[in-house]
Amino acid sequence: MAWASFAKLNAASSQWIGQQSFTQRTGSSSSTRFATRRVSVPIRAGAYTEELVKTAKTIASPGRGILAIDESNATCGKRLASIGLDNTETNRQAYRQLLLTTPGLGDYISGAILFEETLYQSTTDGKKFVDCLREENIVPGIKVDKGLVPLPGSNNESWCQGLDGLASRSTEYYKQGARFAKWRTVVSIPCGPSALAVKEAAWGLARYAAISQDNGLVPIVEPEILLDGDHPIERTLEVAEKVWSEVFFYLAENNVVLEGILLKPSMVTPGAEHKEKASPETIAKYTLTMLKRRVPPAVPGIMFLSGGQSEVEATLNLNAMNQAPNPWHVSFSYARALQNTVLKTWQGRPENTEAAQKSLLVRAKANSLAQLGKYSAEGESEEAKKGMFVKGYTY
């Protein structure tokens, strides 16, 4: 398995920096003579290791999860258009200010993933958004990938670009106050997935994770298995196990410190077009089966994406997964499942800001309770129960 890659059984590997070597003797039944061979064990101890572990633990703290507001300007524009607003920097800033200045948000939210524009923005009063987050004990994060493009040689699949220049960009993001990063790539079940696409996704995530850690950012590792398709939940589990085995193999190959990462997986569900819906209990069973088979307990936090589920569905499924103790902090990193009602309450009107912020707190608190296994859907609005799946969704 992946962990075998930590032991490099050749003398050349002993030239790696930061490794300790020892000799291993091999005996023979016909001789008392010993042959020696060099065994090198990599020791990963970067300048930021202690800080990375601390940051990851802070984000994976009881009753809290991640608010994802890292939509590209184009996707944010689609959200604004749904309430009749133009896609201008002023309007994007106003909406993100509403979210990031919500009083008491830090009671339920431990980290916020920002788009690059937002990381460098301030409130209309001149206060940096990263400082607004810090005052609420929320860790600022940054989306670092450059989006999906077609993968040549695959079955109409994609790969994620953005490794070029990532180290220098990460250095600047750290200086601006970011302490964790996010890189999203996707795997499509209707497209196979092909072995090429799975390997490309896993390798890209591992390289990104290693570069992020070298520059002080906790990497969120996110190979999203898309909901598109009419396949049963058993097929999703099969693909998820394959994807995650590849991901952890290459994380080990790149000497990534597992105590200093977070995962952002999809929940194991049937395809969105499957004839039968799965209950929260079934989704929890299959998802936890996948995690227990593939994810080492050294990983501090599993921060699930909502993937087009309704606000209530995402919360119910998370709650079901926390009905018994887990080796990891099992929580949320939601975008639409935290923002949908907020946006519709706000409508771009300043007089609705307070009501919109209260609706954000309602959703954040619901998911906080779900992380603790104490959520009930009683009293949820009909709007919160509406699904948000979009076939072929991009952002």
Side-chain angles (χ1 to χ4, degrees):
M1 182 150 176
W3 313 116
S5 63
F6 272 101
K8 301 294 183 180
L9 303 179
N10 59 73
S13 66
S14 66
Q15 297 174 6
W16 293 355
I17 295 174
Q19 297 184 0
Q20 295 177 344
S21 300
F22 59 93
T23 51
Q24 177 175 312
R25 293 183 174 180
T26 57
S28 170
S29 58
S30 61
S31 173
T32 57
R33 290 176 297 177
F34 291 94
T36 61
R37 60 180 176 177
R38 203 72 160 171
V39 178
S40 297
V41 179
I43 306 298
R44 174 66 185 256
Y48 293 100
T49 299
E50 290 186 9
E51 181 182 347
L52 293 168
V53 173
K54 182 179 179 180
T55 298
K57 287 182 178 179
T58 298
I59 296 172
S61 53
R64 300 206 297 167
I66 294 173
L67 170 63
I69 55 170
D70 57 320
E71 303 90 349
S72 66
N73 287 348
T75 301
C76 191
K78 294 177 184 178
R79 306 270 172 88
L80 295 175
S82 72
I83 58 171
L85 290 183
D86 293 332
N87 186 15
T88 65
E89 183 177 355
T90 299
N91 286 337
R92 294 193 299 269
Q93 178 193 30
Y95 178 54
R96 285 158 174 164
Q97 178 171 324
L98 179 159
L99 297 170
L100 299 177
T101 61
T102 298
L105 188 62
D107 292 343
Y108 315 115
I109 299 296
S110 55
I113 312 172
L114 310 178
F115 191 60
E116 187 175 69
E117 176 183 78
T118 315
L119 181 67
Y120 290 92
Q121 281 179 330
S122 301
T123 67
T124 51
D125 295 332
K127 189 174 186 178
K128 293 180 180 179
F129 281 153
V130 291
D131 291 335
C132 296
L133 291 171
R134 285 171 176 154
E135 288 182 2
E136 285 282 344
N137 193 28
I138 299 173
V139 181
I142 178 69
K143 168 187 163 70
V144 298
D145 69 77
K146 293 295 184 179
L148 301 169
V149 292
L151 176 63
S154 72
N155 186 24
N156 195 30
E157 295 163 287
S158 301
W159 69 284
C160 189
Q161 55 189 348
L163 289 177
D164 288 351
L166 179 58
S168 58
R169 287 190 287 123
S170 297
T171 298
E172 294 304 312
Y173 297 149
Y174 185 92
K175 290 178 182 177
Q176 184 63 17
R179 290 297 178 269
F180 71 99
K182 176 213 165 176
W183 176 287
R184 172 191 181 252
T185 193
V186 302
V187 172
S188 171
I189 292 179
C191 290
S194 69
L196 173 63
V198 172
K199 182 173 289 189
E200 173 60 42
W203 178 256
L205 284 166
R207 290 305 307 138
Y208 137 78
I211 294 168
S212 294
Q213 288 192 337
D214 277 346
N215 290 279
L217 302 179
V218 169
I220 289 184
V221 178
E222 180 185 359
E224 179 179 352
I225 298 171
L226 298 172
L227 283 177
D228 304 64
D230 60 0
H231 50 275
I233 194 169
E234 291 82 5
R235 175 59 177 156
T236 308
L237 175 63
E238 179 185 21
V239 172
E241 289 186 358
K242 174 59 178 174
V243 170
W244 281 103
S245 66
E246 291 275 315
V247 167
F248 277 100
F249 176 82
Y250 287 117
L251 287 173
E253 286 280 288
N254 283 272
N255 298 320
V256 172
V257 179
L258 296 187
E259 292 84 353
I261 71 170
L262 297 168
L263 303 187
K264 186 172 179 176
S266 316
M267 297 179 190
V268 178
T269 69
E273 297 162 288
H274 188 63
K275 57 186 177 182
E276 295 180 11
K277 291 197 69 174
S279 67
E281 292 73 24
T282 299
I283 290 171
K285 174 186 174 182
Y286 277 82
T287 303
L288 291 173
T289 294
M290 185 274 289
L291 294 178
K292 290 173 182 176
R293 288 175 176 173
R294 291 293 181 265
V295 180
V299 176
I302 316 290
M303 322 300 284
F304 282 99
L305 57 89
S306 56
Q309 301 175 73
S310 75
E311 291 176 326
V312 171
E313 279 179 327
T315 310
L316 281 171
N317 293 338
L318 178 63
N319 186 70
M321 282 185 271
N322 282 295
Q323 292 307 299
N326 293 302
W328 330 268
H329 174 81
V330 175
S331 192
F332 60 94
S333 178
Y334 294 163
R336 287 175 287 170
L338 282 172
Q339 296 181 50
N340 187 52
T341 302
V342 177
L343 193 62
K344 293 183 177 180
T345 302
W346 180 48
Q347 292 294 317
R349 299 171 183 168
E351 63 269 24
N352 293 341
T353 296
E354 185 176 349
Q357 289 179 329
K358 286 182 178 178
S359 68
L360 175 59
L361 288 178
V362 167
R363 290 261 49 90
K365 183 178 180 180
N367 286 291
S368 169
L369 290 171
Q371 197 287 310
L372 299 170
K374 299 178 180 179
Y375 167 74
S376 168
E378 184 178 350
E380 289 280 17
S381 68
E382 290 303 311
E383 184 62 43
K385 297 176 183 177
K386 292 181 180 178
M388 291 177 279
F389 170 73
V390 178
K391 190 172 183 178
Y393 179 73
T394 58
Y395 71 98

